[in-house]
Amino acid sequence: MQYLSQFKQFITVILQLSKWFMIACIVGVLSGYGSAALLESLEWATDWREAHLWIIALLPLGGFLSGWLYHRYGKSVEGGNNLLLEEIHNSKKIIPLRMAPMVLFGTTLTHLFGGSAGREGTALQMAASLADQLTKIFNFPPRDRQILLMAGLSGGFASVFGTPLAGTIFGLEVLVIGTIKHKALFPCLVAAVIGDRVTLALGLHHTSYRHAQLIPTITPMALISAIVAGTTFGLVAMLFAKLTHKISHQFQSQISYAPLHPAICGLMIALLVWAIGSTKYIGLGIPTIVEAFNGYLPPWDFASKIGLTALTLGAGFKGGEVTPLFFIGATLGNALSLILPLPTPLLAGMGFVAVFAGAANTPIAATLMGIELFGIESGVFVAIACVMSYLASGHAGIYSAQHIGSGKYHFMSKEEEL
């Protein structure tokens, strides 16, 4: 009788894994195609803007158009990534399919006209909204729908950055601070791997970053330097998150008509770009990120990116936060290499992922991303930086819908923490 019961359990496990393998493959394919469309759109928008810089003067118009479209047709999806997290926490209704084309169009407008934003948020929203349409077909119960959406987050993240391991853990780790939802591990892994492979199969290539040629031995001084760097990255991540939320609150409280928020912000950014005389702080900023690994940059680059990105996203322009966080972290690491005895490429790589770890409260996903992008040799330094950044950033984060599962500090109550 015992053997019969075990056999039935085995069959149940095989059937469930087969079911979720097929579902996760579909989610991965949708994620891969969505990210490919996004990457192609942003490459076109960036190239066109850099070849026709006069279009930055029209950023207020682009901001108003984006804001008006969401005000008129997108109120049900304007919550963005926070809407996705809220639906995973508390299943209410299927995410409207219109989220995918609207956020793609809105993000392309942001980059075409010269806003400072990223792409991760767009990839997550596209992947999750496309995946959630499967709920209409299969009539998933809330528990299964939660796993479906988590797989969408993993597929979107992995396919847009080319980091399937980090994407897998991101979908599990981002929901609740201090807790990882292992029940969705298998679907998230499959969706992440398939999403990444689909994007690559479509001919899209991800940016390659320089690896540190010489990784220092873990000496007391190297360890202290990594801890200091990680703490600095976390404080900057907290600053970015709080500044973005503060700007958003100010626009909402001072100006009632939402489309005017990005329009006014667009005017401010256009004037700032004109005053600076450079476009290095708008858009994704990939050339500057790459340069941070190869030579010294002005030490204020990270601060300039913080200001322009917080203003862009806080005012309601569409786009992601993560690539700007990469820019902020890499350039901050570059600046810290002037005072800390660690190689510039290593510090740039540590900052690249650690500022993201602190701002998104996802230290494990960020550590895996660092290993995938910069090699296992940097793994210990990357992990130290990500953990210290996570601890130093407190509970401030770019995703206001994140729940707190357990406090970051075992010796303090959640109410007492930063």
Side-chain angles (χ1 to χ4, degrees):
M1 198 68 180
Q2 179 182 358
Y3 294 112
L4 180 59
S5 176
Q6 291 177 347
F7 179 74
K8 288 181 178 179
Q9 290 178 359
F10 176 75
I11 294 300
T12 299
V13 169
I14 294 299
L15 291 175
Q16 285 295 313
L17 288 178
S18 299
K19 161 191 161 183
W20 279 107
F21 177 77
M22 291 186 290
I23 292 171
C25 283
I26 296 173
V27 173
V29 170
L30 294 174
S31 302
Y33 273 95
S35 291
L38 171 64
L39 293 171
E40 284 282 9
S41 297
L42 296 190
E43 182 176 1
W44 169 82
T46 300
D47 290 345
W48 205 95
R49 184 194 68 231
E50 291 301 305
H52 307 83
L53 292 180
W54 56 265
I55 199 172
I56 298 175
L58 302 181
L59 185 57
L61 178 62
F64 182 84
L65 175 59
S66 177
W68 181 83
L69 287 172
Y70 267 83
H71 183 71
R72 180 69 177 82
Y73 301 106
K75 287 188 175 181
S76 61
V77 298
E78 62 184 354
N81 291 335
N82 287 308
L83 172 62
L84 305 182
L85 299 187
E86 289 167 0
E87 282 296 323
I88 294 173
H89 290 310
N90 184 20
S91 180
K92 293 181 180 179
K93 59 182 180 179
I94 296 174
I95 298 170
L97 181 59
R98 72 171 68 99
M99 172 181 269
M102 288 196 69
V103 73
L104 174 61
F105 183 68
T107 302
T108 303
L109 283 182
T110 298
H111 287 268
L112 177 63
F113 287 98
S116 177
R119 54 197 174 182
E120 151 271 347
T122 304
L124 298 186
Q125 292 172 51
M126 292 178 67
S129 61
L130 292 171
D132 205 20
Q133 305 313 306
L134 297 177
T135 303
K136 296 178 180 177
I137 301 173
F138 298 105
N139 194 27
F140 290 124
R143 177 183 173 87
D144 284 357
R145 180 171 177 255
Q146 181 184 56
I147 295 174
L148 176 74
L149 291 176
M150 292 169 70
L153 296 183
S154 291
F157 190 97
S159 57
V160 80
F161 292 127
T163 53
L165 296 182
T168 299
I169 301 303
F170 178 83
L172 306 172
E173 191 179 23
V174 72
L175 305 177
V176 182
I177 296 175
T179 301
I180 294 180
K181 302 285 189 178
H182 288 92
K183 64 183 180 182
L185 179 58
F186 179 68
C188 285
L189 174 61
V190 173
V193 172
I194 296 298
D196 176 49
R197 300 316 302 178
V198 166
T199 302
L200 293 176
L202 291 172
L204 278 297
H205 300 284
H206 302 288
T207 305
S208 296
Y209 301 98
R210 177 186 173 191
H211 292 201
Q213 297 298 312
L214 181 63
I215 305 299
T217 304
I218 302 293
T219 62
M221 180 56 69
L223 180 60
I224 292 172
S225 298
I227 291 173
V228 170
T231 302
T232 305
F233 296 141
L235 294 174
V236 168
M238 179 171 61
L239 171 64
F240 174 82
K242 289 190 172 183
L243 180 61
T244 303
H245 294 320
K246 180 66 174 179
I247 290 174
S248 177
H249 174 73
Q250 287 297 316
F251 271 108
Q252 292 174 13
S253 62
Q254 299 296 324
I255 304 171
S256 59
Y257 188 54
L260 288 179
H261 300 173
I264 294 172
C265 166
L267 177 61
M268 297 168 65
I269 292 176
L271 291 173
L272 284 171
V273 172
W274 174 78
I276 294 170
S278 171
T279 61
K280 70 184 297 186
Y281 304 120
I282 61 175
L284 294 172
I286 298 295
T288 303
I289 297 175
V290 172
E291 192 178 349
F293 290 83
N294 297 319
Y296 292 113
L297 297 175
W300 56 83
D301 275 357
F302 78 94
S304 300
K305 189 64 172 178
I306 288 175
L308 285 178
T309 304
L311 186 59
T312 298
L313 299 178
F317 276 98
K318 299 306 171 184
E321 303 93 346
V322 173
T323 304
L325 290 172
F326 295 161
F327 182 114
I328 294 164
T331 53
L332 177 57
N334 184 283
L336 288 176
S337 70
L338 298 172
I339 57 175
L340 294 177
L342 293 175
T344 299
L346 178 61
L347 275 167
M350 291 163 61
F352 184 105
V353 290
V355 174
F356 159 57
N361 292 304
T362 55
I364 301 176
T367 299
L368 287 174
M369 171 175 264
I371 291 172
E372 288 182 290
L373 293 178
F374 310 123
I376 189 63
E377 299 80 9
S378 304
V380 172
F381 284 96
V382 165
I384 293 170
C386 288
V387 170
M388 292 308 303
S389 178
Y390 170 74
L391 294 176
S393 66
H395 287 141
I398 54 178
Y399 306 123
S400 58
Q402 269 183 331
H403 288 186
I404 301 176
S406 62
K408 293 187 178 183
Y409 314 102
H410 69 278
F411 48 83
M412 296 173 64
S413 67
K414 287 187 284 189
E415 290 76 16
E416 295 175 313
E417 293 186 29
L418 296 175

